[in-house]
Amino acid sequence: MLAAGGSRRLGFPKQLLRRRARPLLAHALNAARGALPRSSLIVVLGAQAQRLRLVVRRAAPKALVVYNARWASGLASSLHAGLDAVPARTAAILVTLVDQPNVDRGALIRLLTAWRRRPGGAAAALYAGHPGVPAVLPRRYWRAIRELRGDAGARTLLRSAVVTTVRMPEAELDIDTAADAATLDRYSVLVAQLTQPVAPLA
C-alpha cells in the first residue's frame, strides 16, 4: 500500500482525511486485510510518517511499515521501497493506494479473482477508459517497476503489459484536492447505484 505522498494540492495529509469518522488510511488498510487476510501487508509511508504510523498500528497492527526517505521524488520511489520489503518467495504483489476511498474489500477480491484466472500476466482496475491501480503485478514485472522514475507509477507500466482488466468504477475517485474531498459521500452513493445487481424483469 502506497501512502507516502505529501498531499501538496490538498493542503493537509489526505491519509488522515476522515470519512465516516475514520481516516482514509484506515479504510484502505481494512480493504487490503479483508481481501488478503493471510498475506503480508506492507505500508509505505513518507510525509507525516510518525502520525500515520499510529493509524497503521491501530488498524493493522501486523502490517510492515516501510519508510521511504525519498518520498518527495515521486511515486516510483515508494514502489521501489515497497518492493524491497516484499518476502523472497512472493509470486505477485497487489499495489493499492490510500487515496481511492471507494475501493473496498469487494473491489479488491474481484481484481484478485480475475488475476488468479490468468496468473502469468498482470491484472488491473479499469476506470476512466484505462487500466490503473489497484493492480496485481507478478514477479516478471518487478524489474520494470525498479526502472520507473519520478511520478511514474504502476499505470505507466500497465500501458505496455499484458493485462487482465476488471471494471472498477470505485477506483475512479482519487483524492487530490479539496474539491475531490467534498465529493466523497456523493460519489459513494453513485458507485453503490452503479454496482448494485439489476433486478430481473417480471
Side-chain angles (χ1 to χ4, degrees), residues 153-167:
R155 174 170 285 191
T156 302
L157 177 63
L158 292 168
R159 291 173 186 163
S160 58
V162 177
V163 183
T164 298
T165 57
V166 176
R167 184 175 176 272

Side-chain angles (χ1 to χ4, degrees), residues 116-201:
R116 287 175 179 130
R117 295 193 188 106
R118 297 179 60 191
L126 180 65
Y127 52 97
H130 303 283
V133 176
V136 182
L137 300 171
R139 182 177 289 273
R140 62 186 287 192
Y141 298 104
W142 294 3
R143 177 174 293 183
I145 292 175
R146 294 189 185 282
E147 293 175 355
L148 296 173
R149 296 292 182 269
D151 273 325
R155 174 170 285 191
T156 302
L157 177 63
L158 292 168
R159 291 173 186 163
S160 58
V162 177
V163 183
T164 298
T165 57
V166 176
R167 184 175 176 272
M168 194 179 293
E170 299 97 322
E172 189 165 351
L173 176 65
D174 63 87
I175 305 301
D176 285 322
T177 66
D180 296 332
T183 68
L184 272 174
D185 293 332
R186 177 165 54 83
Y187 194 89
S188 298
V189 171
L190 176 60
V191 168
Q193 293 172 345
L194 287 174
T195 57
Q196 282 178 355
V198 178
L201 294 175

Side-chain angles (χ1 to χ4, degrees), residues 5-16:
S7 307
R8 295 183 186 91
R9 284 186 284 172
L10 185 60
F12 59 90
K14 66 176 72 176
Q15 302 92 326
L16 297 176

Side-chain angles (χ1 to χ4, degrees), residues 95-117:
V95 180
T96 64
L97 302 176
V98 72
D99 62 356
Q100 292 176 308
N102 291 317
V103 173
D104 58 10
R105 170 181 174 272
L108 295 180
I109 288 176
R110 295 201 317 268
L111 178 63
L112 291 163
T113 299
W115 171 72
R116 287 175 179 130
R117 295 193 188 106

Side-chain angles (χ1 to χ4, degrees), residues 11-34:
F12 59 90
K14 66 176 72 176
Q15 302 92 326
L16 297 176
L17 180 67
R18 290 188 173 269
R19 182 186 191 190
R20 298 170 189 163
R22 303 186 67 192
L24 292 189
L25 178 55
H27 282 281
L29 288 166
N30 286 341
R33 288 172 59 218

Side-chain angles (χ1 to χ4, degrees), residues 2-8 44-47 67-82 97 145 148-154 156:
L2 307 183
S7 307
R8 295 183 186 91
V44 181
L45 301 181
Y67 177 66
N68 174 21
R70 299 181 60 247
W71 64 267
S73 68
L75 187 60
S77 65
S78 290
L79 277 168
H80 299 164
L97 302 176
I145 292 175
L148 296 173
R149 296 292 182 269
D151 273 325
T156 302

